[in-house]
Amino acid sequence: MSASLAAPAPGGFGRMTLRLVLIGAVLLLAMLPALNRLPADSALHVSDFIVSITGKWITYAILALAIDLAWGYAGILSLGHGAFFALGGYAIGMHLMRLIGPRGVYGHPVLPDFMVFLGYRELPWYWLGFDHFPFAILMAVAVPGLLAGIVGYLAFRSRITGVYLSIITQALTYALMLAFFRNDMGFGGNNGFTDFKELLGMPLNTPTARSALFYASLLLLLAALWLCSSITRSKLGRVLVAIRDAESRVRFLGYDVTQHKLFVFVLSAMIAGLAGALYVPQVGIINPGEFSPGNSIEAVIWVAVGGRGTLVGALLGAFSVNALKTWLTTVAPDLWLFALGGLFVAVTLFLPRGLIGLFSKAPK
Amino acid sequence: MKNLLLALGVLLWLALPARAQDAFTAALPGLAGGFGDIATSVEQLGALGDPRALPILRALQAGQLQKHADGRLLLPGNTDAATGQPADASGAETVRLNNRVRQALRGALGRLQLVSPDAAERGAAAEAIFRSRSAEDVPTLQAAIARETDAGVKAKLVLALAAAQLVAPDEEAKRDAIARLGAAGTVEARALLIEARAANPTLVTAIDISIASIERSLSIRRAAETLFQGLSLGSVLLLAALGLAVTFGVMGVINMAHGEFVMLGAYATFMVQEACRGIPWLAPWSLPLSVPAAFLIAAAAGAALERGLIRHLYGRPLETLLMTFGVGMILQQAVRTIFGAQNREVASPAWMQGTLMLPGGIAVTQNRLWIIVFGIAVLLLVIAAIRFTRFGLEMRAVVQNRRIAATMGIRTGRVDALTFAFGSGIAGMAGVALSQIDNVSPNLGTGYIIDSFMVVVFGGVGSLAGTLVGALTLGVVNKVLEPYAGAVLAKVFVLVAIMLFIQRRPRGLFALKGRAAES
């Protein structure tokens, strides 16, 4: 890890200005679902599409925040965070599948359609409990956290750092993708879960459900931002930055590097899992494609574009890259991959501190 | 027209051998009689061993033999069965079969095929007798074995004889047959022995010994085939990982676009094939020609990438990783735009197709065998280039101590570019091999990149021996696990196993020792 990174707090960009911009952006976002309720001919009317896609981007922004916490502050470049996101999504997806109940195509009172189709007699044991919402949410946090705990413990204990860790995490999400593609895993195989009906008594795909999910995502984003910023400003955050810049030295000073990294990696995975749990009800589908290594690395580039090591940068990157993606894939679909590839090259070569770096003073 | 036909008929008549009047002709009229006559006639024809009886009996079996009221027989196409002359079909009726006739037919046809001039037909006949086996076949088979010149057919005949002897009354011949079946070591022989075990209580011990020996040779063959498949997968991994061993292992540059260089090599193979298509004498050699072409194209792309972009990011591995991933994305999309998203067909030359039978019945597909040979050749080439050339010497010098190498007058920038181009070129050559066993599509490389990194990490960064051992181990382990866990789970197990392995040996199987290991 090079030491030429931006300091955690942006230099010339005053803290007050930053706060004002942030509060303004949040207020603007919070108004979207309300504006959606205005009559369609009103000048301020916002379309359903805008609300649902912004809701999706907010969950992406939470994922970006999680990646930034691990990469920007502790130097752990995980190329497998998409796996934690997808696991959270699968957890809530299992709950949503259970809620379909007898309304499936086959009309089985308990088993989801794909299980009836595959000839299951009864629910596999790992599906038990998912008919309760709190349990599903708990799993959306606990499963990614546990997986990150095991992988992180094994990796950090043997001091696997840098690109080696990146490759291992990439292999992890790749392995999970292969596993979830299998029909006999009991997670719907290739098709994953879809055709959800309702959540917490609200039929999905109605304006009420859309706004509720939107506000829930926004609240989670704010909570995650608050949590991450209080961590990074604490003594713990200072130690993490120190680990990022000179791991051995921190170890020689008597800090337990393994525990610090493990803590931040697990926390980051949990936040990513929650983001996934909010993402799935909004897009209405989850399949093994979410585990593809490409997704994880795309999320990393959001953070790089925005500016890693600054939490606001991660948010900025997630929104701007996804806005660009949505625009380009409608205007010129073939150009998107060129543009994304170009972003990887341009940001690493010319904008090592991301878009945020444009506004703040260059490091000495 | 009529005259011509007549002349042809006369010619045919003259051409018929003098034996036309012999036992063959004598046996024919029976076919026009009752069921009993037909069966006797069929048995006679079978025992005669005259190839001329073959089409007649086949027609009879297929229900296509017809007879006139006066006893003349008609083959399909309205030719007279005895003379081969065209004949009138009006008023003819089909010769009917009953079970006794059918049974006689099967045996007679099997015996007749044994004298066929075509070796493949004789082999098929031997296999048919092996399956249907009866004690009466023993003398026929013994005669056929004495006549046989083709080694493959002879082996089949010997097996069929053993099968026939097992159901014959001769006890001594049975013991002999059991021993021979045991030595044959095939699944069919085992089934035969298991069947004979119940019928011959006196021979149970001999049969059990033979069955055990078959089990042994079957499991050895299975192991050998698994090993071959594993080695073949391993050599694919080796080819894909060798380039990485140079760029990542030696230079320490992590190149996520490596898979795309492999893909470029595969497309270069496709282009060379298309270019050679118009030149008939060159077309079969397009594959060997594409090896240097793929090397040069991928190497040029690698050199451009190193000089243009990677050079600016030395010492920042994570940024290099992200940047090269972007480059890979752009390459993939560029190829998709130029060549289209569908798979491109790269044909195997004739000398690479087919299956080779090794002694012991081990089946080996030729193109997989060539890939193993190619993988070893490329490995030796890489070792030679690093050990014995000026470029290799300079490369090792720069890796060991860049600044001192520079003071000695080595242009380190040029060496960096050449090394990276070298590693990328090897990836291109891997693409040539992959075009033979995988679909040539824009995302060809993505399937191999993670496995290749695993090979390098597992084998030990910076060690070519480690890459070799790592690739072959992963290939074999994958193939050994596959029958138990399925291809996908085997892959997952291997990934998990590697993660656990790095716990014990964080620097891989063949860790560098000394100063170089510290960086």
Side-chain angles (χ1 to χ4, degrees):
Chain A
M1 201 68 217
S2 89
S4 66
L5 282 172
F13 202 45
R15 172 149 284 170
M16 268 323 280
T17 340
L18 186 73
R19 270 211 184 137
L20 283 178
V21 170
L22 201 64
I23 290 171
V26 168
L27 283 178
L28 196 69
L29 279 177
M31 270 157 60
L32 282 181
L35 293 178
N36 177 236
R37 297 297 179 88
L38 289 175
D41 50 358
S42 156
L44 289 174
H45 175 76
V46 168
S47 69
D48 290 353
F49 173 72
I50 297 281
V51 175
S52 62
I53 204 159
T54 318
K56 197 172 91 175
W57 290 350
I58 294 178
T59 61
Y60 284 158
I62 302 170
L63 173 63
L65 208 58
I67 292 176
D68 194 22
L69 181 67
W71 181 31
Y73 289 90
I76 306 166
L77 175 54
S78 157
L79 294 183
H81 254 55
F84 304 131
F85 185 77
L87 282 173
Y90 263 97
I92 200 77
M94 287 162 86
H95 177 60
L96 290 165
M97 287 308 266
R98 291 301 313 272
L99 289 184
I100 294 177
R103 283 168 294 179
V105 177
Y106 292 102
H108 195 285
V110 178
L111 294 186
D113 277 344
F114 75 89
M115 287 195 188
V116 181
F117 181 71
L118 290 174
Y120 278 70
R121 292 258 155 267
E122 54 186 13
L123 221 51
W125 60 268
Y126 47 84
W127 274 72
L128 297 177
F130 276 94
D131 44 340
H132 303 291
F133 179 74
F135 181 77
I137 288 294
L138 180 71
M139 285 296 124
V141 181
V143 172
L146 190 69
L147 181 67
I150 294 171
V151 174
Y153 175 74
L154 291 176
F156 302 141
R157 196 186 60 139
S158 27
R159 302 190 189 171
I160 294 172
T161 53
V163 286
Y164 294 93
L165 187 87
S166 306
I167 292 171
I168 294 225
T169 49
Q170 186 171 36
L172 170 81
T173 188
Y174 183 64
L176 280 170
M177 178 177 76
L178 292 180
F180 272 75
F181 264 123
R182 289 165 52 86
N183 271 333
D184 46 3
M185 279 283 285
F187 294 109
N190 206 359
N191 299 320
F193 305 146
T194 189
D195 283 336
F196 306 133
K197 306 288 184 212
E198 60 181 24
L199 180 62
L200 290 174
M202 295 181 300
L204 293 170
N205 235 331
T206 57
T208 331
R210 246 198 311 277
S211 348
L213 285 168
F214 185 97
Y215 285 123
S217 308
L218 195 58
L219 273 180
L220 178 66
L221 177 68
L222 291 176
L225 190 60
W226 171 79
L227 180 67
C228 290
S229 72
S230 39
I231 286 177
T232 53
R233 273 179 296 155
S234 68
K235 185 185 161 211
L236 172 65
R238 298 270 164 211
V239 177
L240 289 178
V241 172
I243 290 174
R244 177 191 75 187
D245 292 340
E247 180 166 332
S248 308
R249 201 175 296 180
V250 177
R251 189 171 278 125
F252 299 152
L253 286 174
Y255 287 99
D256 189 336
V257 171
T258 305
Q259 269 188 22
H260 278 83
K261 287 174 100 172
L262 194 58
F263 167 76
V264 79
F265 191 58
V266 169
L267 180 70
S268 164
M270 288 172 155
I271 296 175
L274 264 186
L278 277 164
Y279 168 81
V280 168
Q282 299 193 61
V283 295
I285 185 167
I286 174 85
N287 61 37
E290 293 292 336
F291 284 105
S292 86
N295 277 16
S296 296
I297 207 160
E298 205 179 310
V300 167
I301 207 66
W302 303 335
V303 180
V305 166
R308 68 197 143 98
T310 63
L311 296 173
V312 182
L315 306 186
L316 181 65
F319 281 109
S320 54
V321 176
N322 279 299
L324 178 71
K325 179 176 185 174
T326 308
W327 177 69
L328 256 188
T329 42
T330 42
V331 179
D334 288 344
L335 278 185
W336 163 239
L337 282 178
F338 284 118
L340 184 61
L343 265 183
F344 276 94
V345 177
V347 166
T348 46
L349 282 179
F350 307 117
L351 267 184
R353 301 189 316 128
L355 289 175
I356 283 286
L358 291 176
F359 302 110
S360 59
K361 269 190 288 186
K364 48 177 178 20
Chain B
M1 192 65 197
K2 220 170 193 177
N3 285 342
L4 195 69
L5 274 178
L6 202 68
L8 206 69
V10 171
L11 265 177
L12 270 171
W13 176 254
L14 290 175
L16 279 175
R19 302 187 277 139
Q21 305 300 325
D22 62 15
F24 169 66
T25 340
L28 276 184
L31 292 179
F35 286 131
D37 296 333
I38 297 178
T40 323
S41 178
V42 164
E43 274 159 16
Q44 281 171 353
L45 284 171
L48 278 175
D50 191 320
R52 280 177 298 167
L54 205 53
I56 299 173
L57 294 188
R58 283 213 177 114
L60 180 62
Q61 191 179 36
Q64 288 170 337
L65 191 71
Q66 294 183 305
K67 63 178 176 188
H68 280 291
D70 60 0
R72 281 182 297 127
L73 294 161
L74 276 178
L75 286 175
N78 300 331
T79 49
D80 189 287
T83 62
Q85 278 179 303
D88 184 15
S90 61
E93 57 174 313
T94 306
V95 179
R96 290 202 305 211
L97 307 174
N98 70 352
N99 276 343
R100 197 185 142 209
V101 174
R102 282 195 196 96
Q103 205 182 346
L105 261 177
R106 270 197 293 276
L109 274 173
R111 268 176 234 140
L112 275 177
Q113 276 174 337
L114 281 179
V115 297
S116 158
D118 180 11
E121 201 157 81
R122 290 200 302 274
E127 278 169 17
I129 295 181
F130 177 81
R131 279 192 297 274
S132 68
R133 74 211 164 265
S134 84
E136 295 149 35
D137 293 327
V138 173
T140 328
L141 282 167
Q142 278 166 338
I145 290 170
R147 265 201 314 273
E148 189 55 65
T149 48
D150 186 301
V153 178
K154 197 165 196 163
K156 282 177 184 165
L157 285 170
V158 169
L159 261 187
L161 176 63
Q165 280 173 332
L166 260 189
V167 290
D170 184 351
E171 189 85 355
E172 212 31 58
K174 267 188 193 172
R175 282 187 187 280
D176 206 31
I178 291 167
R180 256 177 292 143
L181 283 173
T186 60
V187 182
E188 291 89 356
R190 184 177 56 178
L192 214 60
L193 285 171
I194 290 170
E195 193 187 296
R197 195 175 185 275
N200 299 284
T202 49
L203 294 171
V204 164
T205 7
I207 290 176
D208 282 348
I209 291 171
S210 275
I211 290 180
S213 118
I214 291 178
E215 302 275 357
R216 234 183 350 264
S217 57
L218 277 182
S219 62
I220 290 173
R221 188 179 319 157
R222 259 199 305 275
E225 277 173 3
T226 312
L227 188 70
F228 173 73
Q229 285 165 359
L231 288 181
S232 132
L233 176 65
S235 55
V236 168
L237 290 179
L238 174 68
L239 279 167
L242 261 180
L244 268 188
V246 173
T247 54
F248 179 48
V250 176
M251 290 181 82
V253 170
I254 189 143
N255 179 18
M256 297 300 274
H258 187 79
E260 275 61 48
F261 288 152
V262 174
M263 182 264 293
L264 282 186
Y267 273 90
T269 315
F270 170 70
M271 288 193 292
V272 171
Q273 175 195 269
E274 294 302 299
C276 289
R277 198 178 279 280
I279 313 163
W281 59 270
L282 201 59
W285 303 104
S286 80
L287 200 66
L289 274 181
S290 48
V291 173
F295 180 87
L296 289 178
I297 287 181
L305 175 62
E306 200 277 342
R307 281 295 90 178
L309 302 174
I310 291 179
R311 171 165 78 99
H312 304 292
L313 291 176
Y314 278 141
R316 287 155 69 190
L318 291 181
E319 275 88 343
T320 313
L321 186 157
L322 289 177
M323 196 271 287
T324 50
F325 190 88
V327 171
M329 233 172 209
I330 294 176
L331 279 177
Q332 237 185 64
Q333 187 63 11
V335 168
R336 196 173 287 128
T337 315
I338 297 170
F339 291 93
Q342 75 275 34
N343 295 336
R344 290 296 176 165
E345 187 73 35
V346 175
S348 290
W351 46 269
M352 271 182 65
Q353 286 168 356
T355 309
L356 206 65
M357 287 303 280
L358 295 186
I362 301 162
V364 163
T365 42
Q366 292 237 31
N367 59 357
R368 297 251 167 200
L369 197 66
W370 277 104
I371 287 177
I372 296 183
V373 172
F374 185 60
I376 294 168
V378 171
L379 176 70
L380 293 178
L381 217 71
V382 172
I383 292 176
I386 292 179
R387 282 262 171 90
F388 304 120
T389 63
R390 175 79 199 176
F391 155 68
L393 184 69
E394 291 185 356
M395 184 178 111
R396 281 179 289 147
V398 171
V399 168
Q400 280 170 13
N401 197 321
R402 176 173 293 271
R403 286 166 74 184
I404 295 206
T407 26
M408 296 293 177
I410 295 174
R411 288 158 63 194
T412 55
R414 194 171 144 268
V415 170
D416 284 338
L418 282 178
T419 310
F420 199 81
F422 182 56
S424 309
I426 299 169
M429 295 204 281
V432 180
L434 283 184
S435 76
Q436 293 300 306
I437 53 166
D438 207 338
N439 299 323
V440 178
S441 69
N443 46 8
L444 169 77
T446 35
Y448 292 94
I449 183 74
I450 290 183
D451 282 339
S452 314
F453 270 115
M454 287 295 127
V455 165
V456 176
V457 169
F458 175 63
V461 174
S463 155
L464 287 179
T467 309
L468 174 69
V469 175
L472 295 186
T473 313
L474 288 199
V476 172
V477 168
N478 246 316
K479 287 292 168 187
V480 167
L481 282 178
E482 238 169 55
Y484 306 104
V488 170
L489 269 194
K491 220 166 189 169
V492 176
F493 281 146
V494 169
L495 288 178
V496 173
I498 289 177
M499 287 174 66
L500 291 178
F501 172 80
I502 316 188
Q503 297 302 301
R504 315 271 338 150
R505 305 281 296 262
R507 291 190 174 270
L509 214 49
F510 289 74
L512 291 181
K513 292 187 179 70
R515 260 189 217 176
E518 295 304 313
S519 56

